[in-house]
Amino acid sequence: MSTVFISTRQFASICLFCFMLSFCNGGVLNPSFQIKAVSLGGWLVTEGWIKPSLFDGIPNKDFLDGTALQFKSVTTGKYLCAEDGGGTILVANRTAASDWETFKLWRINERAFNLRVFNKQFMGLDTKGNGVDMVAVSNTPGNSETFEIMRNCDNSCRVRIKAPNGFFLQAKSDVLVTADSQGSSGCGDNDPSVFLMTISGTMQGEFQVTSGYGPEKAPAIMKEHWKTFIVEDDFKFISKNGLNAVRIPVGWWIASHPSPPLPYVGGSLQALDNAFSWAEKYGIKVIIDLHAAPGSQNGWEHSSSRDGSQDWGKTDDNIQQTVDVIDFLTARYAKSLSLYAVELINEPLAPGASLENLTKYYKAGYEAVRRHSSTAYVVVSNRLGTTMEPRELFPLASGMSNLAIDVHYYNVLSDIFNNMTIQQNIVFLLTNRTSQLNYITQSNGPLTFVGEWVAEWEVKGASKGDYQRFAKAQLKVYSKATFGWAYWTLKNVNNHWSLEWMIKNGYIKL
Ligand SMILES: *[C@@H]1O[C@H](CO)[C@@H](O)[C@H](O)[C@H]1NC(C)=O
Ligand SMILES: *[C@@H]1O[C@H](CO)[C@@H](O)[C@H](O)[C@H]1NC(C)=O
Ligand SMILES: *[C@@H]1O[C@H](CO)[C@@H](O)[C@H](O)[C@H]1NC(C)=O
Ligand SMILES: *[C@@H]1O[C@H](CO)[C@@H](O)[C@H](O)[C@H]1NC(C)=O
């Protein structure tokens, strides 16, 4: 009898041990530790709207990579257009501008540009023909696809486009655009080499800032930004204000230390090293978040797309390259007590990111993390896009341990919020968001992570009290996420998007 007798106390500790085991092996609901994090957005992956001043010193800074331009001939009043969207001639017979009439810049330096058309070819001289007619046929830009945009008219919207043969483009007729104009002294309505330029889109991501400053200036500018934007004191602040983790967006080039491919700049890895040592010092957990995957998983500036293209996941090589980044980062930080989770990719966008290829990547990325750590959580992101099913990753998750699904819940950036009142916003949170979160928070499913949210909305002129109620309602709903949540973001010139500002000014208390 006595040999099998187990005291209540021993029993309790065995139970505790079992509980800890099951916690460590993950997959269980309601782990005792829940992440209350803030993202360090705009730090190691640039986002111009978070810190516009980072772009101030760029020469000719209206013309960054991805800037979308439209050109209307002053003589005919019609727009330049890549006929069929690209692959054939340039025409100038459109009375309104849309996709085919839009040209996206690739910046070579502050003067020289390639202009990419809708089907991804580059505008250029017809080198197979007379060398003067304009076409959009080349998939790889070279000298014949390199232009200058001259803004030396009094009106900065009036431009001339100088071709590599030294002449200016002109709309000779609706269907004939040639690079054979000498221009004139003025910029008047009778000079067919003058175009009215409209900037219809801009991008301010890591590609734009590094390419904009160029290889001479970018390294110093970026290093100064990394050194000053987030500092040790921020981790102290985080630890003292009810948060227990940081989510740190990184770009794929961080793994190409110390010399990433141009235009990227080395040094973000040291900054991440610093973040880990500060996190350890202040007892803060770290979620590494691959925010910018090679080729861009959503075409946005915050995944470092060059021109709005979304090319991630299209080839096995590209997926392997991404897995290698995860492998590199996990290997480097697996021993840190602060490494809590590795988020394999942020905001993959459907349909460009197919479920099949994303799943392939998630499996390989998960294995890469597990090669170095059996305990770090792996975070997979639900796809964005209107058609996606919120439980589409559940089959993938079923065989994995310590896995969380990241969803982003914003009350901005979608038409449904445009005319919502304060009360409607709050009701939406308490009903719609709650049911969305419930839908993916299943006892046999992965953990759930509201990986981005913000106390901002489309309501104009709301009072501090309104914001407080709104933030509180969100915290109430998101505290039901079994993995936890992360505010977007710690620092931002837009006050409500800065958790630091919100806490310091009494809008949010944790
Ligand atoms: C513009 O010109 C092209 C080439 O001749 C032609 O195929 C197209 O139909 C024209 N479009 C318009 C709107 O006139
Ligand atoms: C998925 O990957 C395969 C290569 O394995 C590729 O052929 C296919 O185009 C990719 N699909 C998408 C939508 O990128
Ligand atoms: C929002 O209100 C504006 C006018 O206040 C109206 O023009 C617009 O159609 C409304 N949008 C929606 C989505 O209801
Ligand atoms: C919120 O949920 C309600 C009830 O399911 C639904 O009728 C409504 O359309 C949803 N609102 C939005 C903006 O999706």
Side-chain angles (χ1 to χ4, degrees), residues 83 89 91 93-94 175:
E83 187 58 33
I89 58 170
V91 293
N93 63 5
R94 297 309 204 284
V175 294

Side-chain angles (χ1 to χ4, degrees), residues 416 420 428 431-432:
I416 61 171
M420 270 194 192
F428 177 85
T431 57
N432 300 55

Side-chain angles (χ1 to χ4, degrees), residues 476-494:
K476 186 175 162 196
V477 173
Y478 307 152
S479 69
K480 301 282 178 356
T482 47
F483 183 81
W485 52 258
Y487 195 92
W488 186 269
T489 179
L490 182 65
K491 299 194 176 188
N492 196 315
V493 292
N494 304 281

Side-chain angles (χ1 to χ4, degrees), residues 47-227:
E47 296 188 37
W49 70 289
I50 290 178
K51 183 183 169 183
S53 61
L54 190 55
F55 289 74
D56 283 353
I58 297 179
N60 206 4
K61 67 177 173 164
D62 280 350
F63 291 160
L64 300 179
D65 288 274
T67 299
L69 300 176
Q70 296 162 344
F71 303 98
K72 185 159 90 171
S73 164
V74 296
T75 52
T76 68
K78 294 193 178 155
Y79 287 93
L80 275 191
C81 169
E83 187 58 33
D84 292 340
T88 177
I89 58 170
L90 237 60
V91 293
N93 63 5
R94 297 309 204 284
T95 51
S98 177
D99 294 340
W100 292 4
E101 295 77 27
T102 299
F103 298 81
K104 297 208 175 144
L105 293 182
W106 276 25
R107 180 172 166 126
I108 308 306
N109 57 50
E110 63 181 278
R111 304 236 154 277
F113 304 90
N114 308 135
L115 292 91
R116 204 175 196 194
V117 303
F118 182 71
N119 290 341
K120 313 246 152 126
Q121 298 90 349
F122 293 87
M123 170 174 120
L125 297 171
D126 179 13
T127 49
K128 296 216 175 78
N130 60 9
V132 168
D133 292 353
M134 293 297 303
V135 292
V137 295
S138 173
N139 291 307
T140 46
N143 183 50
S144 304
E145 287 76 34
T146 303
F147 297 85
E148 232 181 289
I149 302 170
M150 326 268 303
R151 284 173 116 178
N152 40 13
C153 297
D154 290 341
N155 177 342
S156 68
C157 296
R158 290 193 169 225
V159 299
R160 284 191 177 84
I161 304 167
K162 191 175 184 186
N165 63 9
F167 292 95
F168 299 113
L169 263 61
Q170 59 177 331
K172 267 199 181 139
S173 75
D174 276 10
V175 294
L176 186 59
V177 182
T178 53
D180 56 359
S181 165
Q182 313 245 18
S184 64
S185 53
C187 295
D189 283 348
N190 51 7
D191 181 341
S193 73
V194 176
F195 292 88
L196 280 172
M197 180 189 73
T198 309
I199 297 179
S200 65
T202 60
M203 295 178 73
Q204 290 197 315
E206 186 89 3
F207 199 102
Q208 286 72 30
V209 75
T210 51
S211 161
Y213 280 108
E216 301 292 317
K217 289 189 193 146
I221 299 272
M222 296 313 291
K223 275 174 196 151
E224 182 63 15
H225 167 62
W226 294 328
K227 210 172 78 188

Side-chain angles (χ1 to χ4, degrees), residues 310-317 319 351-358 360:
Q310 177 187 359
D311 292 325
W312 180 84
K314 285 188 174 167
T315 65
D316 289 342
D317 280 356
I319 290 181
S354 70
L355 183 58
E356 190 189 356
N357 291 7
L358 188 63
K360 197 192 291 178

